[in-house]
Amino acid sequence: MGNDKALPKALDPDFLALGLGGTNMMAMLWSVAMGRSAVGVEMRGDPSPGAGWNVAADTYHQLALIDSMMIERYGEESLPRRGDGRLLRLAECFHSPGAVTGTIAVEEVIDCFVDFEDEELKVAGNLEYNEFVDDRWKDGKPARTVTVLPAAEIPDVPDPGLIRTDVAEILQDTFPFQVSAAELLTLMRRYLEALVKIDAAAGRTEPRVRLFSTHRAITAADGGGFADAPDGRKRIRVEALQELDFRGYFVHVRRPGTEIIDIGVPELFMVAQGPESTDAEQLGYQARPVVLDHGDGRGPVPATADFVATLFSMYAQGRFRYRISTERDEDNDEYWARQMLIGHENDPEVGWIMVQVPEFMTFDPVAKGMVSSDTSDSSPRYFAAYQQLLKEFFLERAEELLELPKKVLKRINTFYGPKLVTITMRVGDDARVAPNGVVAGETFGNGHFINGGNSVTGMVGHSSRVLRYWQQRDAGKTPEEAIRVLADGIKEDTESWIRVSEKEFAEAPQHHFTEDCFREIDAARKHRRHLVTLDLSDWNRLLVHAGRLHTAPLPPPADEHPATRGLGWTRAQEQTDGVLIPESVNVG
């Protein structure tokens, strides 16, 4: 959206959002609810298909507070409507008692598209099953502890008084909801788009919202998108983009025939574009890796881990299953690895699975004898062998996590993966990057996704700090005073996420390892990472492996450890369909 030719002068908005993920769209909603003008810029257009999220009750309560603030400030006649004429309430579309969820697009909810006259739809599903499985060995033997937590209470009535401000408290609580990240983000986008249309139809000279999808700040190579105003604040210029698929990668170039757009000097702008942000880089921001000391003699080392991600078409129900297990290399040294499953109530196509790769594993086709040593690692043959090793590893660990035979898993349809992804905890020194600008969300830093911090820290924590910014301004604070509090709050929330995440990077005691052992671990990590890493454009390019829709309910975790049932690492030398399962490098 956004009409370049309809901009005769700079906009000078109250709030400018660079990046339209959950953090910035919630911040835009808070800003508009506080009577401010908001402009959003996003290079990728609509929200991309992405992972499933466990979502805290605070999101539901925050959406309800935004609904009430919008009504109080603007009146119902100036707010968006649903397909049946009712007021479009964000909280009601997210969750409503008795409403039906499942394989539902947010447009069906907004437009009231139903097969039966009295059926109500919603985006979020209830998280019914919280299962935690500890399969770490004890005293040299397999051991299993299964903990099933009671489901969190589902709030049937939103209560803004229950909104919490402590991110660590939220992350350590049980989440009541699960949702497709794309559907929740699209709900917020459609609401903002509706405000644009209402203001245009009413002929507002100062619209509440302007959106520039498929736009970005001018890159540094083209002169930069951030210029100094006379008072030192930043002035932002953006360009319209055309997205091209160039040899398997998405690239963006300026749309032919378009001019640079002068956004002007906002009172406050926020960059929240994920870990790789060229805008934050232009502003001189750089997050550093978080380091942890595992007590193994190495001292502090970066907190990082590799996972294999896959989306199965399976009925996982409203379930979050977490597993931590022992992995052993060929010298019988112990490592810990984590796996998780995220489902969705009443949706037989959502089984998001993340499986951690043990540090010693390389997925090296040469070491497995699948290709000759003179085969180039850039050749299709080498890459195909690597992909096969990755898939076999994933299926073996998924079998242990899901309690389903590998032969069943092989027949299930997949929409994404298996794909190797890397998580590295990062944080910066200061969220303030300009007199009138901050970085937020995962652009500022991140903990581990496995605890739900990616749906809480930015969208719940950082965005609400923008609400408090405007409240402070209304209370008489200067922009300088308010932005300092905002930047400090962003850092506080992110550091809370990091502290809660530290345990997810803990390793088995490795006091006997030598420097050579750790060098081999580093070499193994470097080898597997140089072949494939997650590119943000992957979410726009889902790769379907045709198969069955698995609609049978998922079995509960068994009482017996997988290793005592002939599963797990004891099969490391087994062959499956003529391809060897990945072996380790020699460590320790």
Side-chain angles (χ1 to χ4, degrees), residues 113-131:
F113 178 83
V114 294
D115 294 327
F116 302 99
E117 185 176 348
D118 297 328
E119 191 173 60
E120 185 81 11
L121 303 179
K122 64 177 183 176
V123 171
N126 296 345
L127 206 177
E128 303 170 273
Y129 304 98
N130 285 281
E131 301 161 340

Side-chain angles (χ1 to χ4, degrees), residues 105-171:
V106 68
E107 284 83 2
E108 297 177 78
V109 179
I110 294 173
D111 296 338
C112 302
F113 178 83
V114 294
D115 294 327
F116 302 99
E117 185 176 348
D118 297 328
E119 191 173 60
E120 185 81 11
L121 303 179
K122 64 177 183 176
V123 171
N126 296 345
L127 206 177
E128 303 170 273
Y129 304 98
N130 285 281
E131 301 161 340
F132 295 83
V133 181
D134 190 338
D135 275 344
R136 287 175 291 185
W137 288 38
K138 295 180 181 178
D139 300 324
K141 297 180 181 179
R144 165 166 283 202
T145 301
V146 178
T147 303
V148 180
L149 298 180
E153 181 179 354
I154 305 298
D156 287 338
V157 178
D159 184 353
L162 296 178
I163 296 173
R164 293 167 288 187
T165 58
D166 186 340
V167 166
E169 178 187 352
I170 299 172
L171 291 178

Side-chain angles (χ1 to χ4, degrees), residues 1 19-21 25 28-29 41-48 90 106 110 182-196 209 211-214:
M1 296 186 68
L20 290 180
M25 281 198 286
M28 288 184 71
L29 290 167
V41 178
E42 170 58 53
M43 66 182 295
R44 276 177 282 273
D46 269 359
S48 302
L90 293 163
V106 68
I110 294 173
E183 299 305 330
L184 177 54
L185 298 180
T186 302
L187 171 61
M188 292 187 275
R189 182 72 68 86
R190 297 294 177 259
Y191 189 94
L192 292 167
E193 291 170 349
L195 290 176
V196 173
V209 175
L211 296 174
F212 294 91
S213 298
T214 61

Side-chain angles (χ1 to χ4, degrees), residues 369-381:
M370 299 175 69
V371 298
S372 62
S373 59
D374 60 353
T375 303
S376 170
D377 61 11
S378 61
S379 68
R381 183 182 179 190

